[in-house]
Amino acid sequence: MNIIEILKVILFGIVEGYTEWLPISSTGHLILVENLVHLNQPEEFFNVFKVVIQLGAILAIVVLYWHKLWPFSKKKSREQREDTLVLWAKIVIASIPAAAIGIPFDDFIDSHLSTPTVIGITLLLYGIIFIVLERIYRGRSFVIKKTSEIDIKTAFLIGCFQCLSLIPGTSRSGATILGAMLLGCSRGASAEFSFFLGIPAMAGASLLKIFKFGLDFTGTQVFILILGMAISFIVAVYTVKYLMGYIRKHDFTIFGYYRIVLGIIVLIYFGLLA
């Protein structure tokens, strides 16, 4: 494996780590990079690679929120441990809708919806929704200000919004953040619960792709997966910190405009290639 291939893997890891937790669609970015940069690997493996490097982004959330997510910490009181277990119950319940639809329709989505046209349209559509929603909520206060205040019903409904992200280009974090805000959650609580909800969703999607591939990886392919995940992890750590700091003082409008611009680029670029 030469240095050029290693640099390509690093590039994909950077793009994944930067875009996974921002509401701008990692799929939309990866499809552009994929069209410009090609790994010298079979298409089947590359499809696995794109999903598996998400594990690095997941690990970033686990590390950054370890104390909040680990229910058996000795530093927590009994009440705090119980609250953490309740949080995980909410995450599991919220994960059910997407799993119920995503698992049986995974192949259909890959073969029929993972197209530049669909991705470009969803980038545009949800970009507009973000802008409109932020104008509606400008100056308003949210009923749910902390993640701990999200009840079971609200968690489940947020999980229903996550189903929208099964359509490529929607952005899993974008769909869940929008849904949470519509249900009365603050930007901070919406983003944080979206992070937590992404752990089972993305881990499940990654494992599904790995087992479908058959675990028949070469030594080079194992190296590619580990390197991609490591880079994705490092970049995701800084991205999550940036996002949580940003939304303390700003709203999501900028991400709406960014999505619109990216959507137009995707549609024009792949329209010209057609």
Side-chain angles (χ1 to χ4, degrees), residues 33-45:
V33 177
E34 177 186 351
N35 216 262
L36 299 171
V37 177
H38 303 280
L39 284 181
N40 189 23
Q41 293 291 331
E43 183 180 352
E44 293 80 4
F45 171 77

Side-chain angles (χ1 to χ4, degrees), residues 12 15 51 93 100 124 144 151 161 164 174 184 186 189 209-210 241:
F12 277 107
V15 172
V51 177
I93 290 171
L124 279 167
I144 301 172
D151 59 23
F161 276 99
L164 297 172
S186 68
K209 292 291 184 183
I210 291 173
K241 288 182 177 180

Side-chain angles (χ1 to χ4, degrees), residues 197-261:
L197 190 53
I199 296 174
M202 293 161 60
S206 299
L207 292 174
L208 182 63
K209 292 291 184 183
I210 291 173
F211 284 113
K212 280 189 176 182
F213 188 78
L215 298 175
D216 188 21
F217 300 111
T218 65
T220 298
Q221 289 173 339
V222 171
F223 172 76
I224 288 173
L225 292 176
I226 293 175
L227 178 60
M229 285 190 292
I231 298 299
S232 175
F233 165 76
I234 294 170
V235 176
V237 167
Y238 288 99
T239 302
V240 170
K241 288 182 177 180
Y242 160 77
L243 178 62
M244 295 308 291
Y246 178 86
I247 60 178
R248 290 190 186 101
K249 299 179 180 179
H250 306 88
D251 59 27
F252 288 106
T253 300
I254 187 65
F255 298 111
Y257 285 115
Y258 183 93
R259 289 180 63 102
I260 292 172
V261 172

Side-chain angles (χ1 to χ4, degrees), residues 9-19 53 228 231-232 235-236 239:
V9 174
I10 292 174
L11 175 61
F12 277 107
I14 291 173
V15 172
E16 169 59 31
Y18 176 69
T19 61
I53 57 175
I231 298 299
S232 175
V235 176
T239 302

Side-chain angles (χ1 to χ4, degrees), residues 3 23 25 29 31 85 88 142 145 177 189 193 207 221 235 237:
I3 188 65
S25 176
H29 289 78
I31 194 174
L85 289 173
W88 274 108
F142 293 92
K145 302 185 184 302
I177 288 172
F193 192 73
L207 292 174
Q221 289 173 339
V235 176
V237 167

Side-chain angles (χ1 to χ4, degrees), residues 112-156:
H112 293 86
L113 298 180
S114 297
T115 67
T117 301
V118 171
I119 292 170
I121 291 173
T122 51
L123 281 167
L124 279 167
L125 176 62
Y126 286 94
I128 294 170
I129 293 175
F130 259 116
I131 294 170
V132 172
L133 183 64
E134 284 293 4
R135 288 185 177 179
I136 293 173
Y137 280 94
R138 186 168 296 166
R140 294 189 183 183
S141 59
F142 293 92
V143 176
I144 301 172
K145 302 185 184 302
K146 299 179 180 179
T147 307
S148 58
E149 296 173 359
I150 297 175
D151 59 23
I152 296 292
K153 179 183 177 182
T154 302
F156 179 77

